[in-house]
Each structure stands twice: as C-alpha cells, then as structure tokens.
Amino acid sequence: MPLNLENPLVDRDTMDCRVLVYTRTTAFRHASIPEAVAALRSMVGIDMVHTEDPASFEGGLEGFEAVVFLSTSGDVLNPAGRTHLTRYVESGGGFVGIHSAACTEYGWPGYGDFLKARFTRHPDYQPGMALVEDADHPATRHLPTVWEFEDEWYDFDTSPRGTSRILAVVDESSYTGGGMGTDHPIAWCRHHGDGRVFYTALGHAADAYKDAAFIEHVRGGVLWAAGRLK
C-alpha cells in the first residue's frame, strides 16, 4: 500500500525520504549502475525502491517523494508511464536525473521539458575542474569552489541557463575535448509545475560512487527534489 505522504498524522521529518530509483537502459548501459544503486541505498535519510520495470510507473507514483533516473538510456517508458511521470512532477513530485539520464527519451518532448538540455557527446574519461557557481544549494554547499573530479564531461544540445538554476559548470580549459565553450553547466535544478527537478551530469564511473563529495552532491540533490531541504 503506498505511503500517504499527505496524511497530517505522518511526520515527514521523522521518516526517511522514500524515492524510486529507475535504471532501465535500452541503449548504452553503464557498468557503474550496481555501485550507484548500492550508494543510493546506503544514503542517510533515503529509503529507496529500485526497479527497471516500466510497469512501475503505470499505476502512478503516489508514495514516492522523488523519482531518480540513474544512468538510464534510450526509451525507457511506455506511453502510460510518460503520462504518469508528467502528472507526478507537475503536481509536486521530485525528479532527479543522474549522468546518462540526459541520454534518455530523445523522442519524448516532455522529458526534454524536465531537463532543459540533452546529451550530445563526450570526450574521453579524464580529470577536470568543476566550478561551483551556486554554493547555497544542498547539492553544492559542501563542495570546494574548484572541485577536481574525473568524468566524461558531457556536452549538451543547449545550455539550461535561463531556464534553470545553474549549480556548477566545468572549466573546459582543465580537460581536452570540451565543446560548449566558456559556459558549460554540469549540474542544475529548476521548478517544473509544482515539482522540482535536479540534474547532474557526473557519475560515469564506479569510483564516483565511492567518493564522499560526489555522494553528498547526489544526496543533496535528491533531498532537495523531494522537498526535504530548502
């Protein structure tokens, strides 16, 4: 039976945040998915349900405070699932996209409306420098201003700046092969209807999910999307 999050007798502050973590892939599949799922499962304050079954969306998403698309790729939902996910976010649910969530549902315009940018290409996996632009967000307030990290440094078809709150960008001079220039967001958030959307382009390799700073980055994004953190 779904948890009734609107019940006034339920004190949400004393409960773990209940999230649905979705990892279905119909295109490239990241080898890091098992480590990523384990990392989210171990996060303090988060009670997660993991699935790769698109039927999980067909009956609605009541009882979940956020839905996490974790390194999904390709077309991963059926029409009923798309309808329920749209209704869920617009009515106040949280949505989190991690890494190749931006390589997902290219044929569904509504998904592009959630993220406001889609993956186009990436250079080789390599070290680079992420620059925290907004340190007041739960996903970034623990990070140094210059965050050295190793990833694929995704390029996107457009910048989400202007439609989203940019949390971090990557300095393209710190690695080889960047294609977006001086304004290259890699983490952002936004409101969509009554819901909240958080996206981070990071998280390609299994090692990321052993990195305490990255784990807190994701945890902060999830809890913010769920409305648990201001």
Side-chain angles (χ1 to χ4, degrees):
M1 184 176 188
L3 181 65
N4 182 4
L5 299 173
E6 303 303 321
N7 188 336
L9 299 178
V10 174
D11 182 0
R12 292 174 71 245
D13 292 337
T14 66
M15 301 167 7
D16 285 347
C17 174
R18 193 161 189 256
V19 303
L20 180 67
V21 175
Y22 193 51
T23 57
R24 187 182 183 207
T25 58
T26 60
F28 182 81
R29 186 169 183 88
H30 282 79
S32 61
I33 287 175
E35 288 81 2
V37 170
L40 266 78
R41 196 181 300 281
S42 67
M43 286 180 182
V44 174
I46 292 177
D47 173 23
M48 59 155 281
V49 175
H50 174 224
T51 185
E52 296 202 349
D53 184 359
S56 301
F57 292 78
E58 292 178 9
L61 296 161
E62 294 79 8
F64 294 106
E65 295 175 68
V67 173
V68 180
F69 273 37
L70 174 58
S71 290
T72 52
S73 68
D75 292 333
V76 296
L77 294 174
N78 56 32
R82 294 177 188 127
T83 297
H84 283 296
L85 181 59
T86 300
R87 186 176 301 148
Y88 169 78
V89 177
E90 291 181 348
S91 63
F95 180 84
V96 174
I98 300 175
H99 196 51
S100 62
C103 311
T104 301
E105 292 286 342
Y106 282 106
W108 175 28
Y111 189 79
D113 287 342
F114 289 159
L115 293 187
K116 294 300 183 185
R118 292 181 182 271
F119 165 84
T120 55
R121 59 173 293 277
H122 66 76
D124 291 338
Y125 180 79
Q126 61 190 297
M129 292 191 302
L131 310 178
V132 173
E133 186 168 306
D134 185 339
D136 291 329
H137 192 278
T140 50
R141 63 190 177 198
H142 66 289
L143 294 172
T145 303
V146 178
W147 182 24
E148 296 183 7
F149 202 72
E150 194 167 359
D151 218 288
E152 292 179 323
W153 308 113
Y154 276 10
D155 285 347
F156 300 95
D157 60 351
T158 188
S159 171
R161 190 178 299 278
T163 61
S164 308
R165 175 181 173 185
I166 306 302
L167 305 178
V169 299
V170 61
D171 178 358
E172 288 195 355
S173 70
S174 68
Y175 69 99
T176 301
M180 293 188 69
T182 56
D183 184 25
H184 189 157
I186 56 161
W188 59 86
C189 65
R190 57 185 302 273
H191 290 270
H192 187 87
D194 291 331
R196 298 180 179 196
V197 175
F198 168 82
Y199 174 75
T200 180
L202 305 177
H204 167 73
D207 285 348
Y209 299 93
K210 303 170 187 174
D211 183 298
F214 176 71
I215 289 172
E216 187 61 22
H217 173 61
V218 171
R219 178 177 175 272
V222 172
L223 293 176
W224 177 85
R228 290 298 189 102
L229 298 176
K230 303 291 185 188

